[in-house]
Amino acid sequence: MMTQPPDKLVPQPRDRFTFGLWTVGNRGRDPFGDAVRKTLPPTVIVRELSQLGAYGVTLHDNDLVPMGATLQERDQIVRDFKAVLADYHMAVPMVTVNLFYDPVFKDGAFTSSASAVRGFAIDKAKRAIDLGQELGATIFVLWGGREGVEGDGAKDPRNALKWYREAIDTLTAHILTNRYNMRIALEPKPNEPRSDIYLPTVGSMLGFIATLSHPELVGVNPEVAHAKMAGLNAVHEVAQALDQGKLFHIDLNDQRLARFDQDLRFGSDDVKGSFYLVKLLEDSGYQGSLHFDAHPYRTEDSQGVWEFARGCMRSYLAYKEKVRQFREDADIQVVLAHIQHLNQEGPAIVDEPSLNWWRERGYAYEELDQLITELILGLR
Ligand code: GLT
Ligand code: MN
Ligand code: MN
C-alpha cells in the first residue's frame, strides 16, 4: 500500500508556534467601528489552537485575569486555566502586562509624568511577572504602547528615559530577588497609539538595554509590522538583535509599509521579506518561540479566525520549505558559488590594474534575485 508523504505544512508542537490570546481573540474593533466578533474564552482558544498544532499561548495579565479581580478570583481563574493547559498539552512560554488599555495609562505607564501612575504600573508589571512564573513562562514581554507623547512640552524626554530605566531595573531586581527563571524582552514600536513612542526601533532598545543594571536579563521582542511602520527592513532589525545575542522572542506578522498598525497574517503581504526573515531565523538556529502577534481581518467570523491561525503557521512552514529548496537548488547554488569565488579569488588591491578588476567585476545579484523570485513563485 502506498503511504502518503506527511504534509510539510501541517504544524506540530515541535515547531514552537505560539499565539497571544489577544490575537485570535481580537474582536475586530478599530478607531472607526465596533467589535464584530464575540469574546472567545481563553479555554476555547487553548483548545482550538492545540487542535491546530500550536505549541502554546501567550497572554497579558488582563487577557486572563480581569482588572479588579480579588485575589481569590484570580487564583481560581489561574487554577482553571492551568488545568485546561494541561488537558491540551499547551505551554505558556511568554506573558506580558497590559499597560495601555486602562485610562489610568493615558500619559504612559513607566514614563507617565505622574509618579503615582509610574508606581502603579511597576506594581502591575511585578504581579504579571509572578503570574508568568506560575504559568511556567520564561520570557516577559514589555510593549510600551503608551510610553510616548503627542508633544514634548510637558515632559523632558530625558526624564522619561530615566523613569523607564528605573522601572526595568526594579523589575529585574524583582526577578533576581525571587530567583525566577525569567528574562525580559522589550518590544519597540515607532508610533500608534502615541504620536511618538520612546525607543522606537531595535537599535534604540539595544542602546538603552546597555544602560540597565542587569542588561544580561533584558533583550528584545522585535515585531515585523513595527519595523515596517518605521519604513525599516524587519530582517535587518532581527539580525541586529541576533548579532548581539538579544533575540529573546519575536512577534511574527505582516504589514504594508507606511500604514497604520495592520497586524496582518504572517507572510501574507511581503512575500520576499517573509522568506528572508524565515531564512534568517532558520539559518541562525534561533530556538525561541515563533510567536504570532497578528489579527484576523475584521471581515471574518469564527471560522475565518481559525483559518487565520492555521494560515500563520502554514505560511511559516511554507517559507521554511522554500528555504530548504533554496539550499538545494542547483542553479542558485552555482550562482552563489560563483559570487563566492570572485569574492575570494579576486586580486589583492595593490595597483591600478587590480583596482580596475574590482571596479569592473559584476556581482550577479540580478541573476540570483530572479532565481529566488521564481523559486518563491513556485516556478522552480
Ligand atoms: C498589542 C501590541 C503588540 C504587543 C502586545 C503585547 S499587545 O496588541 O499591538 O504589538 O506585542 O503587549
Ligand atoms: Mn507585538
Ligand atoms: Mn502590531
Side-chain angles (χ1 to χ4, degrees), residues 22 60 94 96-98 100 141-143 187 189 221 223 226 251 253 261 263 291 293 295:
W22 69 90
H60 297 90
M94 177 275 264
T96 180
V97 58
N98 190 323
F100 45 88
V141 161
L142 279 170
W143 171 63
E187 179 177 341
K189 187 175 183 184
N221 178 46
E223 175 172 316
H226 297 178
D251 277 359
N253 58 11
D261 187 10
D263 290 331
H291 180 247
D293 184 9
H295 298 156

PDB file of all heavy atoms in Angstrom, residues 22 60 94 96-98 100 141-143 187 189 221 223 226 251 253 261 263 291 293 295, ligand 1:
ATOM      1  N   TRP A  22      -4.771  37.508  22.771  1.00  0.00           N
ATOM      2  CA  TRP A  22      -5.382  38.708  22.210  1.00  0.00           C
ATOM      3  C   TRP A  22      -5.375  38.705  20.677  1.00  0.00           C
ATOM      4  O   TRP A  22      -5.999  39.565  20.066  1.00  0.00           O
ATOM      5  CB  TRP A  22      -4.641  39.953  22.717  1.00  0.00           C
ATOM      6  CG  TRP A  22      -3.241  40.106  22.170  1.00  0.00           C
ATOM      7  CD1 TRP A  22      -2.872  40.763  21.019  1.00  0.00           C
ATOM      8  CD2 TRP A  22      -2.028  39.575  22.710  1.00  0.00           C
ATOM      9  NE1 TRP A  22      -1.510  40.669  20.826  1.00  0.00           N
ATOM     10  CE2 TRP A  22      -0.971  39.943  21.852  1.00  0.00           C
ATOM     11  CE3 TRP A  22      -1.726  38.817  23.850  1.00  0.00           C
ATOM     12  CZ2 TRP A  22       0.363  39.584  22.089  1.00  0.00           C
ATOM     13  CZ3 TRP A  22      -0.403  38.456  24.094  1.00  0.00           C
ATOM     14  CH2 TRP A  22       0.617  38.842  23.217  1.00  0.00           C
ATOM     15  N   HIS A  60      -1.509  38.689  28.066  1.00  0.00           N
ATOM     16  CA  HIS A  60      -1.376  39.795  29.003  1.00  0.00           C
ATOM     17  C   HIS A  60      -2.038  39.359  30.308  1.00  0.00           C
ATOM     18  O   HIS A  60      -3.008  38.582  30.273  1.00  0.00           O
ATOM     19  CB  HIS A  60      -2.129  41.032  28.529  1.00  0.00           C
ATOM     20  CG  HIS A  60      -1.629  41.616  27.254  1.00  0.00           C
ATOM     21  ND1 HIS A  60      -2.112  41.243  26.036  1.00  0.00           N
ATOM     22  CD2 HIS A  60      -0.704  42.572  27.014  1.00  0.00           C
ATOM     23  CE1 HIS A  60      -1.500  41.930  25.088  1.00  0.00           C
ATOM     24  NE2 HIS A  60      -0.631  42.737  25.657  1.00  0.00           N
ATOM     25  N   MET A  94       5.512  32.668  27.289  1.00  0.00           N
ATOM     26  CA  MET A  94       5.694  34.121  27.488  1.00  0.00           C
ATOM     27  C   MET A  94       4.425  34.725  28.072  1.00  0.00           C
ATOM     28  O   MET A  94       3.331  34.319  27.713  1.00  0.00           O
ATOM     29  CB  MET A  94       6.026  34.766  26.131  1.00  0.00           C
ATOM     30  CG  MET A  94       6.180  36.276  26.138  1.00  0.00           C
ATOM     31  SD  MET A  94       4.633  37.200  25.977  1.00  0.00           S
ATOM     32  CE  MET A  94       4.571  37.533  24.228  1.00  0.00           C
ATOM     33  N   THR A  96       2.934  38.849  29.254  1.00  0.00           N
ATOM     34  CA  THR A  96       3.197  40.271  29.184  1.00  0.00           C
ATOM     35  C   THR A  96       2.196  40.986  30.088  1.00  0.00           C
ATOM     36  O   THR A  96       1.398  40.342  30.763  1.00  0.00           O
ATOM     37  CB  THR A  96       3.164  40.757  27.713  1.00  0.00           C
ATOM     38  OG1 THR A  96       3.425  42.153  27.658  1.00  0.00           O
ATOM     39  CG2 THR A  96       1.843  40.467  27.033  1.00  0.00           C
ATOM     40  N   VAL A  97       2.297  42.289  30.127  1.00  0.00           N
ATOM     41  CA  VAL A  97       1.424  43.050  31.028  1.00  0.00           C
ATOM     42  C   VAL A  97       0.733  44.129  30.208  1.00  0.00           C
ATOM     43  O   VAL A  97       1.351  44.747  29.342  1.00  0.00           O
ATOM     44  CB  VAL A  97       2.232  43.666  32.194  1.00  0.00           C
ATOM     45  CG1 VAL A  97       3.340  44.587  31.711  1.00  0.00           C
ATOM     46  CG2 VAL A  97       1.324  44.408  33.164  1.00  0.00           C
ATOM     47  N   ASN A  98      -0.528  44.334  30.498  1.00  0.00           N
ATOM     48  CA  ASN A  98      -1.260  45.377  29.787  1.00  0.00           C
ATOM     49  C   ASN A  98      -1.079  46.705  30.513  1.00  0.00           C
ATOM     50  O   ASN A  98      -1.669  46.944  31.568  1.00  0.00           O
ATOM     51  CB  ASN A  98      -2.748  45.011  29.683  1.00  0.00           C
ATOM     52  CG  ASN A  98      -3.474  45.951  28.743  1.00  0.00           C
ATOM     53  OD1 ASN A  98      -3.183  47.146  28.705  1.00  0.00           O
ATOM     54  ND2 ASN A  98      -4.410  45.430  27.983  1.00  0.00           N
ATOM     55  N   PHE A 100      -1.566  49.634  28.772  1.00  0.00           N
ATOM     56  CA  PHE A 100      -2.012  50.597  27.762  1.00  0.00           C
ATOM     57  C   PHE A 100      -3.520  50.772  27.680  1.00  0.00           C
ATOM     58  O   PHE A 100      -4.001  51.777  27.202  1.00  0.00           O
ATOM     59  CB  PHE A 100      -1.469  50.206  26.379  1.00  0.00           C
ATOM     60  CG  PHE A 100      -1.617  48.736  26.052  1.00  0.00           C
ATOM     61  CD1 PHE A 100      -2.767  48.249  25.453  1.00  0.00           C
ATOM     62  CD2 PHE A 100      -0.603  47.839  26.374  1.00  0.00           C
ATOM     63  CE1 PHE A 100      -2.906  46.889  25.165  1.00  0.00           C
ATOM     64  CE2 PHE A 100      -0.737  46.480  26.097  1.00  0.00           C
ATOM     65  CZ  PHE A 100      -1.886  46.007  25.490  1.00  0.00           C
ATOM     66  N   VAL A 141       7.423  39.941  28.160  1.00  0.00           N
ATOM     67  CA  VAL A 141       7.495  40.992  27.135  1.00  0.00           C
ATOM     68  C   VAL A 141       6.947  42.304  27.676  1.00  0.00           C
ATOM     69  O   VAL A 141       5.968  42.327  28.426  1.00  0.00           O
ATOM     70  CB  VAL A 141       6.713  40.565  25.864  1.00  0.00           C
ATOM     71  CG1 VAL A 141       6.375  41.757  24.978  1.00  0.00           C
ATOM     72  CG2 VAL A 141       7.532  39.545  25.062  1.00  0.00           C
ATOM     73  N   LEU A 142       7.612  43.370  27.307  1.00  0.00           N
ATOM     74  CA  LEU A 142       7.113  44.711  27.641  1.00  0.00           C
ATOM     75  C   LEU A 142       6.995  45.516  26.359  1.00  0.00           C
ATOM     76  O   LEU A 142       8.001  45.824  25.711  1.00  0.00           O
ATOM     77  CB  LEU A 142       8.078  45.412  28.594  1.00  0.00           C
ATOM     78  CG  LEU A 142       7.968  45.043  30.069  1.00  0.00           C
ATOM     79  CD1 LEU A 142       9.143  45.623  30.838  1.00  0.00           C
ATOM     80  CD2 LEU A 142       6.646  45.528  30.661  1.00  0.00           C
ATOM     81  N   TRP A 143       5.761  45.806  25.991  1.00  0.00           N
ATOM     82  CA  TRP A 143       5.500  46.678  24.847  1.00  0.00           C
ATOM     83  C   TRP A 143       5.023  48.019  25.399  1.00  0.00           C
ATOM     84  O   TRP A 143       3.972  48.088  26.037  1.00  0.00           O
ATOM     85  CB  TRP A 143       4.433  46.071  23.936  1.00  0.00           C
ATOM     86  CG  TRP A 143       3.974  47.012  22.885  1.00  0.00           C
ATOM     87  CD1 TRP A 143       4.722  47.545  21.881  1.00  0.00           C
ATOM     88  CD2 TRP A 143       2.656  47.561  22.732  1.00  0.00           C
ATOM     89  NE1 TRP A 143       3.951  48.388  21.111  1.00  0.00           N
ATOM     90  CE2 TRP A 143       2.684  48.409  21.614  1.00  0.00           C
ATOM     91  CE3 TRP A 143       1.453  47.411  23.435  1.00  0.00           C
ATOM     92  CZ2 TRP A 143       1.563  49.124  21.175  1.00  0.00           C
ATOM     93  CZ3 TRP A 143       0.341  48.109  23.002  1.00  0.00           C
ATOM     94  CH2 TRP A 143       0.399  48.956  21.877  1.00  0.00           C
ATOM     95  N   GLU A 187       9.791  45.402  23.507  1.00  0.00           N
ATOM     96  CA  GLU A 187       9.253  45.413  22.128  1.00  0.00           C
ATOM     97  C   GLU A 187       9.140  46.840  21.608  1.00  0.00           C
ATOM     98  O   GLU A 187       8.297  47.607  22.057  1.00  0.00           O
ATOM     99  CB  GLU A 187       7.882  44.746  22.116  1.00  0.00           C
ATOM    100  CG  GLU A 187       7.252  44.741  20.728  1.00  0.00           C
ATOM    101  CD  GLU A 187       5.916  44.009  20.697  1.00  0.00           C
ATOM    102  OE1 GLU A 187       5.643  43.213  21.608  1.00  0.00           O
ATOM    103  OE2 GLU A 187       5.150  44.255  19.751  1.00  0.00           O
ATOM    104  N   LYS A 189       8.300  49.998  19.041  1.00  0.00           N
ATOM    105  CA  LYS A 189       7.296  50.397  18.041  1.00  0.00           C
ATOM    106  C   LYS A 189       7.449  51.902  17.850  1.00  0.00           C
ATOM    107  O   LYS A 189       7.626  52.626  18.828  1.00  0.00           O
ATOM    108  CB  LYS A 189       5.892  50.057  18.551  1.00  0.00           C
ATOM    109  CG  LYS A 189       4.805  50.288  17.513  1.00  0.00           C
ATOM    110  CD  LYS A 189       3.437  49.824  18.022  1.00  0.00           C
ATOM    111  CE  LYS A 189       2.398  49.991  16.939  1.00  0.00           C
ATOM    112  NZ  LYS A 189       1.044  49.638  17.399  1.00  0.00           N
ATOM    113  N   ASN A 221      12.066  41.994  21.694  1.00  0.00           N
ATOM    114  CA  ASN A 221      10.992  41.250  21.028  1.00  0.00           C
ATOM    115  C   ASN A 221      10.603  42.059  19.790  1.00  0.00           C
ATOM    116  O   ASN A 221       9.657  42.836  19.831  1.00  0.00           O
ATOM    117  CB  ASN A 221       9.795  41.106  21.984  1.00  0.00           C
ATOM    118  CG  ASN A 221       8.621  40.379  21.329  1.00  0.00           C
ATOM    119  OD1 ASN A 221       8.803  39.356  20.682  1.00  0.00           O
ATOM    120  ND2 ASN A 221       7.419  40.917  21.503  1.00  0.00           N
ATOM    121  N   GLU A 223       8.922  43.164  16.373  1.00  0.00           N
ATOM    122  CA  GLU A 223       7.708  42.800  15.631  1.00  0.00           C
ATOM    123  C   GLU A 223       7.862  43.266  14.186  1.00  0.00           C
ATOM    124  O   GLU A 223       8.185  44.439  13.932  1.00  0.00           O
ATOM    125  CB  GLU A 223       6.471  43.436  16.265  1.00  0.00           C
ATOM    126  CG  GLU A 223       5.223  43.163  15.423  1.00  0.00           C
ATOM    127  CD  GLU A 223       3.912  43.594  16.055  1.00  0.00           C
ATOM    128  OE1 GLU A 223       3.724  43.324  17.263  1.00  0.00           O
ATOM    129  OE2 GLU A 223       3.088  44.188  15.340  1.00  0.00           O
ATOM    130  N   HIS A 226       6.070  46.463  13.223  1.00  0.00           N
ATOM    131  CA  HIS A 226       6.566  47.692  13.832  1.00  0.00           C
ATOM    132  C   HIS A 226       7.776  48.224  13.072  1.00  0.00           C
ATOM    133  O   HIS A 226       7.936  49.432  12.900  1.00  0.00           O
ATOM    134  CB  HIS A 226       6.898  47.457  15.308  1.00  0.00           C
ATOM    135  CG  HIS A 226       5.703  47.078  16.125  1.00  0.00           C
ATOM    136  ND1 HIS A 226       5.777  46.787  17.470  1.00  0.00           N
ATOM    137  CD2 HIS A 226       4.392  46.957  15.790  1.00  0.00           C
ATOM    138  CE1 HIS A 226       4.565  46.485  17.919  1.00  0.00           C
ATOM    139  NE2 HIS A 226       3.701  46.583  16.911  1.00  0.00           N
ATOM    140  N   ASP A 251       7.778  38.709  17.411  1.00  0.00           N
ATOM    141  CA  ASP A 251       6.365  38.831  17.036  1.00  0.00           C
ATOM    142  C   ASP A 251       6.273  38.794  15.517  1.00  0.00           C
ATOM    143  O   ASP A 251       6.653  39.744  14.821  1.00  0.00           O
ATOM    144  CB  ASP A 251       5.770  40.149  17.566  1.00  0.00           C
ATOM    145  CG  ASP A 251       5.327  40.029  19.019  1.00  0.00           C
ATOM    146  OD1 ASP A 251       5.469  38.925  19.599  1.00  0.00           O
ATOM    147  OD2 ASP A 251       4.836  41.025  19.571  1.00  0.00           O
ATOM    148  N   ASN A 253       4.251  38.772  12.056  1.00  0.00           N
ATOM    149  CA  ASN A 253       3.006  39.193  11.409  1.00  0.00           C
ATOM    150  C   ASN A 253       3.394  39.820  10.076  1.00  0.00           C
ATOM    151  O   ASN A 253       4.499  39.581   9.577  1.00  0.00           O
ATOM    152  CB  ASN A 253       2.196  40.139  12.305  1.00  0.00           C
ATOM    153  CG  ASN A 253       2.951  41.388  12.702  1.00  0.00           C
ATOM    154  OD1 ASN A 253       4.016  41.677  12.161  1.00  0.00           O
ATOM    155  ND2 ASN A 253       2.406  42.138  13.630  1.00  0.00           N
ATOM    156  N   ASP A 261      -0.987  50.368  12.096  1.00  0.00           N
ATOM    157  CA  ASP A 261      -0.584  49.056  12.592  1.00  0.00           C
ATOM    158  C   ASP A 261      -1.577  47.996  12.103  1.00  0.00           C
ATOM    159  O   ASP A 261      -2.681  47.886  12.626  1.00  0.00           O
ATOM    160  CB  ASP A 261      -0.590  49.130  14.125  1.00  0.00           C
ATOM    161  CG  ASP A 261      -0.032  47.899  14.774  1.00  0.00           C
ATOM    162  OD1 ASP A 261       0.532  47.050  14.061  1.00  0.00           O
ATOM    163  OD2 ASP A 261      -0.152  47.790  16.004  1.00  0.00           O
ATOM    164  N   ASP A 263      -1.064  44.456  11.624  1.00  0.00           N
ATOM    165  CA  ASP A 263      -1.023  43.120  12.237  1.00  0.00           C
ATOM    166  C   ASP A 263      -1.603  42.046  11.320  1.00  0.00           C
ATOM    167  O   ASP A 263      -2.445  41.239  11.734  1.00  0.00           O
ATOM    168  CB  ASP A 263      -1.773  43.121  13.588  1.00  0.00           C
ATOM    169  CG  ASP A 263      -1.041  43.912  14.654  1.00  0.00           C
ATOM    170  OD1 ASP A 263       0.196  44.000  14.604  1.00  0.00           O
ATOM    171  OD2 ASP A 263      -1.714  44.451  15.554  1.00  0.00           O
ATOM    172  N   HIS A 291       6.276  33.265  17.573  1.00  0.00           N
ATOM    173  CA  HIS A 291       5.051  33.826  18.165  1.00  0.00           C
ATOM    174  C   HIS A 291       4.329  34.713  17.170  1.00  0.00           C
ATOM    175  O   HIS A 291       4.939  35.633  16.609  1.00  0.00           O
ATOM    176  CB  HIS A 291       5.454  34.642  19.402  1.00  0.00           C
ATOM    177  CG  HIS A 291       4.314  35.285  20.112  1.00  0.00           C
ATOM    178  ND1 HIS A 291       4.146  36.654  20.153  1.00  0.00           N
ATOM    179  CD2 HIS A 291       3.287  34.753  20.815  1.00  0.00           C
ATOM    180  CE1 HIS A 291       3.063  36.931  20.875  1.00  0.00           C
ATOM    181  NE2 HIS A 291       2.528  35.807  21.271  1.00  0.00           N
ATOM    182  N   ASP A 293       1.812  37.592  16.452  1.00  0.00           N
ATOM    183  CA  ASP A 293       1.087  38.724  17.020  1.00  0.00           C
ATOM    184  C   ASP A 293       0.369  39.410  15.861  1.00  0.00           C
ATOM    185  O   ASP A 293       0.836  40.411  15.331  1.00  0.00           O
ATOM    186  CB  ASP A 293       2.049  39.680  17.728  1.00  0.00           C
ATOM    187  CG  ASP A 293       1.293  40.818  18.403  1.00  0.00           C
ATOM    188  OD1 ASP A 293       0.047  40.747  18.456  1.00  0.00           O
ATOM    189  OD2 ASP A 293       1.933  41.779  18.866  1.00  0.00           O
ATOM    190  N   HIS A 295      -3.741  39.815  13.720  1.00  0.00           N
ATOM    191  CA  HIS A 295      -5.202  39.797  13.913  1.00  0.00           C
ATOM    192  C   HIS A 295      -5.883  39.259  12.661  1.00  0.00           C
ATOM    193  O   HIS A 295      -5.480  39.595  11.548  1.00  0.00           O
ATOM    194  CB  HIS A 295      -5.743  41.211  14.135  1.00  0.00           C
ATOM    195  CG  HIS A 295      -5.203  41.880  15.340  1.00  0.00           C
ATOM    196  ND1 HIS A 295      -5.154  43.253  15.468  1.00  0.00           N
ATOM    197  CD2 HIS A 295      -4.689  41.372  16.485  1.00  0.00           C
ATOM    198  CE1 HIS A 295      -4.631  43.549  16.649  1.00  0.00           C
ATOM    199  NE2 HIS A 295      -4.335  42.444  17.274  1.00  0.00           N
TER     200      HIS A 295
HETATM  201  C1  GLT B   1      -0.657  44.901  21.412  1.00  0.00           C
HETATM  202  C2  GLT B   1       0.506  45.372  20.568  1.00  0.00           C
HETATM  203  C3  GLT B   1       1.501  44.315  20.330  1.00  0.00           C
HETATM  204  C4  GLT B   1       2.179  43.844  21.587  1.00  0.00           C
HETATM  205  C5  GLT B   1       1.274  43.175  22.524  1.00  0.00           C
HETATM  206  C6  GLT B   1       1.995  42.922  23.814  1.00  0.00           C
HETATM  207  S1  GLT B   1      -0.237  43.923  22.727  1.00  0.00           S
HETATM  208  O1  GLT B   1      -1.565  44.166  20.633  1.00  0.00           O
HETATM  209  O2  GLT B   1      -0.005  45.876  19.337  1.00  0.00           O
HETATM  210  O3  GLT B   1       2.452  44.674  19.383  1.00  0.00           O
HETATM  211  O4  GLT B   1       3.135  42.881  21.228  1.00  0.00           O
HETATM  212  O5  GLT B   1       1.737  43.885  24.770  1.00  0.00           O
END
